[in-house]
Amino acid sequence: MGNFVTGTIVQNKAGATYEGTVYDRRLVLQPPKGQEIFIFDPAEPISTDLSINEMYDLVLVPFTISVQIVSASPMADAPVDFDGWQGTVIDVHWKATKEEYRLIRPELYEGEWILLHTAFGNILLNPRSIKEMLSEGMIVQWARARVDLYAIV
Amino acid sequence: MSGPQPQPGPTPTPDLRHITIPNVPPNTYELLSGVADAIDTANGNFNTHATKLGGISSDTNGAVNNVTSTSQGSGANALSDTWKNTQTDFSRAHDPLTGIVASNCMGGSPNPMRDVVDQNKSSIQAGLIAMENIQASQHSINPPSAQQVEGWIQDVNALMGSLGNVNLAMQVMILAIRNLNGGFGASCATGFTPGFPPPTFPNNSFAMSNSGSSGGGSGKISMGDLEDNLKSQGVDPGTAESIALNAEISGLNLDDVQSLIDTGAKPSDVLKWFEDGKLTETSLNDVTALIKQGVSDDAITQLLNNGIDSGGEDPLALISQVKTSGAKISEGNVVGITRTPGGKIDWLETGNPSAGLEHIMNGDGTPGDIGHGQDFANIGIEGKDNVTKLIIDTLQDETPVATRGGGGLVFNVTIDGTVRQILIVVGNNGFIVTAYPL
C-alpha cells in the first residue's frame, strides 16, 4: 500500500452528463492540512458512491506534460514559493497489485508508474508525461493541472 | 554706462476681421468618416463579386469540361475555344476587383481613408473648433487674448495640413479607381462588345455528336417560369424576380429551387441564403430535405452560417441522415459532424455546461469544473475551433486504440510531432458528450 492522498470528500458531483447518463465526475477533497484538491474522475467514473464528509485514501494521477526536475538530491532545498505540485520520487517502477483497492481503474494495472511523495501523500505520475529519466530521491515539480482519480483504497 | 532698457509691450491681438476662415463644413470629420465607411462597403462588394465571379468561372469550367470530355464534334470544339477566351475575360474582370482591395489601393483594415482620418482626427476636430471660436469672436464684444487667437490660428493651420493628408490618400484611391476602369476597358476576348451586336459563329459551329449518355436539362422550368410561379404563390414580385435571377446565375436546377419553396422555405430566407452565397448545387437539395424533416428556416440559417467542421463531407447531408435515423440532433447548434471509418455519424454541438463543446471547453464554470480547454491548450490545441477540429478529424481518420466504459474511445494523435492520447466520449446516438487528453 502506498499511503496515498487522504482527505474528506466535500463535493462529489456529476460532470459530463447526457440523456441521464453521467460520464464522469468532479470531486473536491479537503486534506487534513492545506488547500482543497479538485479531482476529475474520468469516463466510467468510480466515485459515484463516495459520500460527502467521509475520509478516503485516493490514488491520484496528475495530467501534466511539464514535470521538471528541481533537484537530484533529496537534501537540496527546493523553492518554497512554487504554486504547483512538488514531490520526491520514491519508486520509478511502481506497479498496482490486485486486491488492494476498493475501486480501481483497469488502466492502473497497465505497466509501471512513478510513485512520488508529496505534502498531501503519495501520488502517481504517468511515465508518458516525463521526458527525463527519473530516479529515486529526485525532487520534481509541475504546474497546477488536472488531477485524475485512479483508485480508491 | 547703460541707461534703463525699454520694457517689451504686450503682444497685439491679431485683427480677427482679417483672419480668413477656410471653407470647410463643420461636420467635416463625420463626412470623412462616412467616406471611409462607404469605402469599406465598396471593398466588401468588390470582394463579394470577385468571389462570385470566381465561383461562376469555376462552375462553368466544370460544366464545359464535362461537355467537352463526353462530346465530340465541331460544337464541342467551338465551345472549348470560346470558353478559353471567356476565361480570359473572367480574369480581366476578376483581377482588377481583387487588385483594388489590396492595402496599397482601397483595401486593408483599416482602409487607407479611415487610417488617415483616424490619424488626423484630433487635429481636424481641434481645427473645426478653432474655426467656430474665431467666427464667434468676430461678432463678440469681448475680444479674445492674443494667445487664444494665435492658438486658434495654429489649430486651423493644422486642420488644413490634415486635410492635405486626407487629400493625398484620396488621390491614391482615385488612381486605383482609374486603373480599375482601365482594366475593365480591355477588349472582350470572347468577342462581345458592349453596345454592339453579339458575335457570330459559322453555321452549325455548335452542332455536335454526343458520345456520352444523354440527360440533364430536360423538363427544367425556365427562369421566367420560376419567377411567375413564385408570384402566383403570393411571393412579392421583387423577391420572386431576385430568387429566379440568383438561381439562374448560380446554375441551379430551377425545378429544385421551386421544390425548396414548395417544401415550405420562406422566400425571403431563400433569397437571403442566395445573397450570402449559401445555396449551391451541393447544398440546395440537402436544405430541401432538412426542411421536409421539419428543420426551421432559422436553424437552416444557423447551419449554413456555422461553417461546420465536417472533414470534407457535406455537413447538411450528414445532418439529414442523422435526422432520418430518428436521433435527437439540434441541427442549428452543430459545430462539427463526421463519418467515422466504421461508417457511424458522430457530431458535436455547441452544447451546454453538461455536454458538448461548451462542457468540453469550460465545464460548468465552477472552480471544481473548469472544463478541459486548458488541458487541450497544454498539449498545443488552443481554442474551441481547434479543439473541434481535433475531435472531428480524429473521429473521422483514426481508429481507437482502446475503449473506456460508457462510450469512451481512446485515440493516439500526433500533435506537433508528439504522440498524445485523447479520449472522446460519444453517446449511443453519435452525440459527442465530452473529450479530453489523457
Side-chain angles (χ1 to χ4, degrees):
Chain A
M1 297 297 286
N3 299 317
F4 293 101
V5 178
T6 303
T8 305
I9 297 285
V10 294
Q11 187 179 77
N12 180 358
K13 66 176 185 177
T17 306
Y18 179 64
E19 295 191 329
T21 301
V22 176
Y23 289 88
D24 53 49
R25 302 191 69 81
R26 296 280 182 170
L27 310 174
V28 181
L29 184 80
Q30 177 62 65
K33 289 181 184 175
Q35 54 189 300
E36 295 174 329
I37 301 173
F38 298 112
I39 298 169
F40 178 57
D41 186 8
E44 206 167 19
I46 58 176
S47 63
T48 308
D49 296 326
L50 298 195
S51 303
I52 302 293
N53 296 326
E54 292 287 325
M55 290 275 287
Y56 292 95
D57 193 10
L58 305 178
V59 179
L60 304 178
V61 179
F63 166 70
T64 178
I65 60 164
S66 57
V67 172
Q68 293 191 339
I69 301 168
V70 294
S71 169
S73 161
M75 302 303 291
D77 290 334
V80 293
D81 59 347
F82 182 66
D83 186 32
W85 286 72
Q86 177 172 298
T88 305
V89 178
I90 52 180
D91 188 352
V92 293
H93 300 291
W94 187 89
K95 276 185 166 182
T97 50
K98 300 196 188 236
E99 294 119 25
E100 287 188 346
Y101 307 94
R102 289 157 60 184
L103 288 161
I104 186 168
R105 294 189 170 282
E107 303 93 89
L108 200 59
Y109 294 125
E110 296 169 1
E112 296 181 337
W113 299 78
I114 298 167
L115 183 67
L116 298 179
H117 176 71
T118 75
F120 297 108
N122 291 349
I123 66 162
L124 299 177
L125 277 184
N126 189 332
R128 279 192 293 113
S129 62
I130 315 292
K131 288 177 185 163
E132 295 82 3
M133 287 291 291
L134 296 187
S135 57
E136 292 172 14
M138 282 182 171
I139 297 176
V140 295
Q141 289 181 340
W142 62 95
R144 199 173 292 278
R146 194 183 81 209
V147 178
D148 295 345
L149 176 64
Y150 269 66
I152 300 158
V153 181
Chain B
M1 285 186 61
S2 60
Q5 297 297 310
Q7 297 296 312
T11 305
T13 304
D15 188 347
L16 286 168
R17 289 169 304 175
H18 294 115
I19 296 176
T20 305
I21 298 175
N23 185 19
V24 177
N27 61 339
T28 294
Y29 178 74
E30 286 72 18
L31 289 173
L32 292 174
S33 291
V35 173
D37 290 343
I39 289 169
D40 274 338
T41 304
N43 286 336
N45 287 334
F46 284 137
N47 271 323
T48 300
H49 291 292
T51 304
K52 284 184 176 174
L53 263 181
I56 293 169
S57 173
S58 172
D59 290 346
T60 311
N61 190 49
V64 171
N65 285 340
N66 187 24
V67 171
T68 54
S69 64
T70 56
S71 305
Q72 296 172 342
S74 55
N77 294 339
L79 177 63
S80 180
D81 293 339
T82 304
W83 174 236
K84 279 176 194 158
N85 290 329
T86 307
Q87 281 179 306
T88 304
D89 289 333
F90 266 116
S91 296
R92 284 176 181 169
H94 183 267
D95 293 350
L97 287 177
T98 52
I100 200 166
V101 295
S103 57
N104 60 353
C105 290
M106 284 175 52
S109 179
N111 69 54
M113 184 66 177
R114 192 178 305 286
D115 194 24
V116 72
V117 170
D118 285 349
Q119 284 185 25
N120 291 275
K121 179 180 179 180
S122 58
S123 57
I124 291 171
Q125 290 179 328
L128 292 170
I129 292 168
M131 282 172 51
E132 280 180 18
N133 288 334
I134 292 170
Q135 280 175 321
S137 297
Q138 284 172 338
H139 307 291
S140 171
I141 56 172
N142 298 317
S145 68
Q147 201 176 8
Q148 279 180 308
V149 175
E150 283 300 330
W152 292 339
I153 290 171
Q154 283 176 15
D155 285 346
V156 171
N157 288 339
L159 165 67
M160 298 312 291
S162 293
L163 292 180
N165 294 338
V166 171
N167 183 51
L168 195 61
M170 290 182 83
Q171 289 296 330
V172 171
M173 285 186 276
I174 288 167
L175 274 177
I177 293 169
R178 280 188 187 146
N179 288 338
L180 180 72
N181 289 333
F184 285 138
S187 62
C188 173
T190 311
F192 291 92
T193 308
F196 288 85
T200 56
F201 296 91
N203 284 344
N204 300 320
S205 63
F206 281 84
M208 58 194 293
S209 60
N210 191 344
S211 65
S213 60
S214 63
S218 64
K220 257 186 155 180
I221 59 173
S222 70
M223 187 175 86
D225 292 340
L226 177 60
E227 182 180 340
D228 290 343
N229 290 347
L230 295 178
K231 283 180 187 167
S232 70
Q233 290 174 301
V235 178
D236 79 78
T239 303
E241 184 185 0
S242 296
I243 288 174
L245 186 61
N246 274 285
E248 178 75 11
I249 289 172
S250 304
L252 299 182
N253 182 316
L254 302 185
D255 286 323
D256 291 342
V257 176
Q258 178 73 58
S259 294
L260 174 63
I261 304 277
D262 291 345
T263 305
K266 286 183 206 150
S268 56
D269 289 331
V270 172
L271 180 56
K272 183 79 173 55
W273 297 335
F274 270 124
E275 288 173 345
D276 292 343
K278 305 292 185 187
L279 270 189
T280 63
E281 198 176 350
T282 309
S283 65
L284 175 60
N285 290 331
D286 294 327
V287 169
T288 305
L290 287 170
I291 288 177
K292 274 183 188 165
Q293 289 166 331
V295 178
S296 70
D297 282 16
D298 287 345
I300 298 277
T301 301
Q302 272 184 282
L303 265 177
L304 293 171
N305 292 335
N306 272 356
I308 301 169
D309 195 327
S310 63
E313 272 210 68
D314 176 9
L316 298 183
L318 293 174
I319 290 170
S320 181
Q321 286 181 48
V322 172
K323 289 205 69 84
T324 303
S325 75
K328 184 178 147 194
I329 181 171
S330 300
E331 52 280 338
N333 297 328
V334 173
V335 292
I337 185 165
T338 192
R339 194 186 303 277
T340 68
K344 186 166 166 278
I345 299 175
D346 294 338
W347 76 93
L348 181 63
E349 296 184 14
T350 50
N352 54 49
S354 296
L357 185 58
E358 186 184 339
H359 168 80
I360 292 169
M361 296 305 294
N362 304 313
D364 65 13
T366 61
D369 185 4
I370 57 171
H372 302 287
Q374 187 57 51
D375 298 335
F376 278 110
N378 286 344
I379 61 167
I381 306 295
E382 297 209 34
K384 62 183 182 179
D385 290 346
N386 289 324
V387 170
T388 298
K389 185 168 176 11
L390 175 69
I391 293 170
I392 295 300
D393 288 354
T394 301
L395 286 169
Q396 178 183 271
D397 300 329
E398 305 293 336
T399 304
V401 294
T403 57
R404 299 281 185 265
L409 305 169
V410 180
F411 295 91
N412 283 340
V413 293
T414 303
I415 298 166
D416 296 333
T418 304
V419 176
R420 309 264 185 216
Q421 283 201 326
I422 65 170
L423 182 139
I424 304 174
V425 177
V426 184
N428 289 333
N429 57 3
F431 177 90
I432 298 167
V433 180
T434 187
Y436 41 87
L438 294 174

